Amino acid sequence: MTSRPDPKTSLDLLRSEIERRNPAEPEFHQAAREVLDTLAPVLAARPEYAEPGLVARLVEPERQILFRVPWQDDQGRVHVNRGFRIEYNSALGPYKGGLRFHPSVNLGIIKFLGFEQIFKNALTGLGIGGGKGGSDFDPQGRSDSEVMRFCQSFMTELHRHIGEYTDVPAGDIGVGAREIGYLFGQYRRITNRWEGGVLTGKSAGWGGSLIRPEATGYGNVLFAEAMLRERGEDLEGQTAVVSGSGNVAIYTIQKLTALGANPVTCSDSGGYVVDEKGIDLELLRRIKEVERGRVSDYAERRGASARFVPDGRVWDVPADVALPSATQNELNAADAATLVRNGVKAVSEGANMPTTPEAVDLLQQAGVAFGPGKAANAGGVAVSALEMTQNAARTSWKADQVEDELARIMTDIHTTCAETAERYGAPGDYVTGANIAGFERVADAMLAQGVI
Ligand code: NDP
Ligand code: 2IT
């Protein structure tokens, strides 16, 4: 009889294999390692999951699409960007996940995001697989017509790969309602189909769901509140630091304020703003959403309560709760140590993988409640799935109905993560809880559907 390596050894082997076969993709290695590091107990407890090949299939995308995106700027010059769509796993439903337009985008970043999305989408309990896409296009400083031509060129290739039963993209960094509009228009023109469920994050007047813009930020605040409740506290009166100033950050700030907390910061790649009176959301939205300006403009216009700190670390601002909502690896071990020194009680990830592994360890060891992105920011994709439901039924729900569903889903995700962590001997460890609970749901579907 041949003996099979124990789960830990086989996961170690797989990790080395991932690094060998996917060279120069540090973010993907980080995301895969973070999940694999927590799976040994579930593979040991459930022998069916230790089936050779199951985890190896899970880490390999079902399909990877790379394409050229040529477009002309307003002066007629031709630019060539690169387009990506990683169709990672469709065991639970059509591939689902956003598109990111940012100059830092490369294959490894889209693979890390797609991999995270599999588990996040599984945690929502809804029928959506995992995928992600985007481009190294930089929308900053581009006119509306340049963005439109770029989106049209991007969709001219992407359209043949997507569909409401196949793959359903949405927004992410650099892709909001404007870009989704241009992408949908080109899809409709090329295919001659009014297929609402092919993209989510559409505007409410033509097939979009109410509360989708708010969903990620609102959901993350609800998750943070659920973690605090476990400790007999809530958000009322708590000071919060928020990074970023885009879609996720804005609605995080809005919900924090609504629940009685005081969000005192926001940031962009140029620096951060600290406003001791609390962020004035109306001013921030005007600058970011209407004028497409910078947070330094906010400090200039807000008056004495606010100051702009160029190139500073937003995590230096003392707070009870921290909600990183900008980008990956924006909160490192030194930042975590500062937060702990200043008495932070909870860190909840609005962004995808914003906290480095060393920082996560440090926070958890200090007893800080830590909500990993794949659980805490799942509200966005959850409401995207509700948008697909509304599109399929050719109906639209009232805002209250969507918000109630969002709150129910976030509570369920919190409970599932907490119970799963407890069941596998790691009480209070939401990282382990989220990874194992997401994994179990996808793994069950993959086992039932055979070796494909
Ligand atoms: P937006 O494009 O609306 O905003 C992004 C914000 O992050 C901006 O303030 C931007 O500043 C800042 N930022 C982006 N890249 C960097 C960088 N390399 N360094 C410093 N700051 C940076 O994106 P979203 O708000 O939609 O996304 C924010 C995060 O939330 C991302 O990690 C995304 O993956 C995640 N997320 C988004 C969801 C959604 O529904 N939109 C759902 C779940 C997660 P600047 O303008 O200077 O670049
Ligand atoms: O990271 C994410 O979950 C998103 N960008 C949202 C994906 C979606 O399909 O709504």
Side-chain angles (χ1 to χ4, degrees):
M1 200 173 104
T2 53
S3 67
R4 223 185 250 165
D6 70 273
K8 177 144 184 350
T9 313
S10 51
L11 289 169
D12 286 345
L13 288 172
L14 190 56
R15 267 193 300 261
S16 323
E17 193 61 2
I18 289 169
E19 284 166 28
R20 189 184 64 77
R21 294 180 78 201
N22 303 273
E25 296 179 1
E27 292 85 1
F28 174 55
H29 301 167
Q30 182 184 337
R33 176 173 284 270
E34 189 260 334
V35 170
L36 297 186
D37 278 353
T38 59
L39 294 186
V42 69
L43 298 191
R46 310 267 304 263
E48 68 275 25
Y49 293 151
E51 177 221 292
L54 175 65
V55 185
R57 282 190 285 138
L58 186 60
V59 297
E60 183 69 16
E62 288 175 12
R63 193 173 299 105
Q64 308 189 44
I65 302 154
L66 267 73
F67 52 99
R68 179 172 72 198
V69 190
W71 57 282
Q72 277 183 297
D73 67 22
D74 289 343
Q75 285 70 45
R77 279 188 300 257
V78 173
H79 298 255
V80 179
N81 283 102
R82 193 167 281 176
F84 302 87
R85 187 73 185 165
I86 302 298
E87 298 184 332
Y88 222 121
N89 191 298
S90 58
L92 291 174
Y95 309 105
K96 181 84 197 86
L99 297 171
R100 175 177 292 191
F101 293 170
H102 192 272
S104 63
V105 162
N106 57 38
L107 182 60
I109 287 187
I110 299 299
K111 274 162 71 178
F112 118 63
L113 289 162
F115 186 68
E116 287 284 292
Q117 202 81 45
I118 302 171
F119 304 94
K120 182 194 305 193
N121 294 3
L123 284 171
T124 66
L126 304 167
I128 39 179
K132 198 83 184 191
S135 173
D136 56 2
F137 172 71
D138 186 359
Q140 235 172 75
R142 291 290 169 199
S143 67
D144 282 352
S145 0
E146 288 175 323
V147 170
M148 181 180 75
R149 284 194 294 278
F150 176 81
C151 288
Q152 289 173 340
S153 181
F154 186 86
M155 185 53 85
T156 299
E157 173 59 32
L158 188 69
H159 86 276
R160 65 186 94 252
H161 307 290
I162 62 175
E164 68 172 304
Y165 296 107
T166 312
D167 184 357
V168 182
D172 193 81
I173 292 177
V175 178
R178 173 182 63 171
E179 290 74 19
I180 294 293
Y182 295 147
L183 290 164
F184 186 81
Q186 185 74 349
Y187 182 86
R188 182 168 63 77
R189 184 180 194 190
I190 293 176
T191 60
N192 193 28
R193 284 164 65 87
W194 207 105
E195 189 184 333
V198 72
L199 288 171
T200 62
K202 302 179 294 295
S203 295
W206 48 274
S209 176
L210 293 172
I211 309 296
R212 176 63 190 88
E214 293 86 347
T216 310
Y218 280 18
N220 188 27
V221 175
L222 296 177
F223 196 88
E225 172 122 303
M227 291 196 298
L228 287 173
R229 286 239 160 89
E230 290 280 300
R231 300 165 171 230
E233 295 200 53
D234 60 24
L235 281 164
E236 176 86 43
Q238 312 271 12
T239 300
V241 283
V242 177
S243 64
S245 51
N247 170 267
V248 177
I250 283 174
Y251 292 104
T252 297
I253 290 169
Q254 187 172 79
K255 195 63 163 182
L256 284 166
T257 310
L259 293 181
N262 187 26
V264 291
T265 63
C266 60
S267 70
D268 59 26
S269 49
Y272 73 86
V273 162
V274 54
D275 185 340
E276 62 204 32
K277 281 199 195 151
I279 297 292
D280 174 343
L281 196 68
E282 209 181 307
L283 177 60
L284 182 64
R285 288 187 65 177
R286 195 168 340 121
I287 289 167
K288 296 299 298 189
E289 294 178 348
V290 182
E291 302 166 18
R292 294 185 185 272
R294 313 293 298 160
V295 297
S296 52
D297 304 332
Y298 173 97
E300 258 170 46
R301 276 151 64 180
R302 171 71 160 150
S305 70
R307 73 195 157 87
F308 176 63
V309 183
D311 301 322
R313 308 293 298 169
V314 69
W315 317 115
D316 290 345
V317 177
D320 304 303
V321 185
L323 302 109
S325 308
T327 194
Q328 64 274 0
N329 292 328
E330 56 166 317
L331 197 169
N332 62 30
D335 301 323
T338 308
L339 287 169
V340 169
R341 216 176 313 115
N342 288 333
V344 78
K345 298 168 193 165
V347 175
S348 203
E349 294 188 322
N352 285 306
M353 207 170 73
T355 318
T356 65
E358 301 75 28
V360 175
D361 285 348
L362 215 144
L363 292 167
Q364 288 186 322
Q365 276 158 25
V368 176
F370 177 77
K374 61 172 77 67
N377 72 38
V381 77
V383 174
S384 275
L386 302 181
E387 182 169 325
M388 291 161 68
T389 303
Q390 293 169 71
N391 294 149
R394 298 186 184 283
T395 187
S396 50
W397 300 348
K398 301 247 184 297
D400 283 356
Q401 186 181 350
V402 183
E403 210 174 331
D404 288 351
E405 271 296 290
L406 170 64
R408 185 191 58 75
I409 291 167
M410 294 315 298
T411 306
D412 284 355
I413 294 175
H414 175 269
T415 309
T416 302
C417 293
E419 286 177 359
T420 307
E422 183 96 34
R423 187 151 42 93
Y424 285 95
D429 177 354
Y430 293 96
V431 174
T432 296
N435 289 345
I436 295 184
F439 171 78
E440 285 180 326
R441 187 159 181 246
V442 182
D444 286 342
M446 287 176 72
L447 284 175
Q449 293 172 27
V451 178
I452 49 163

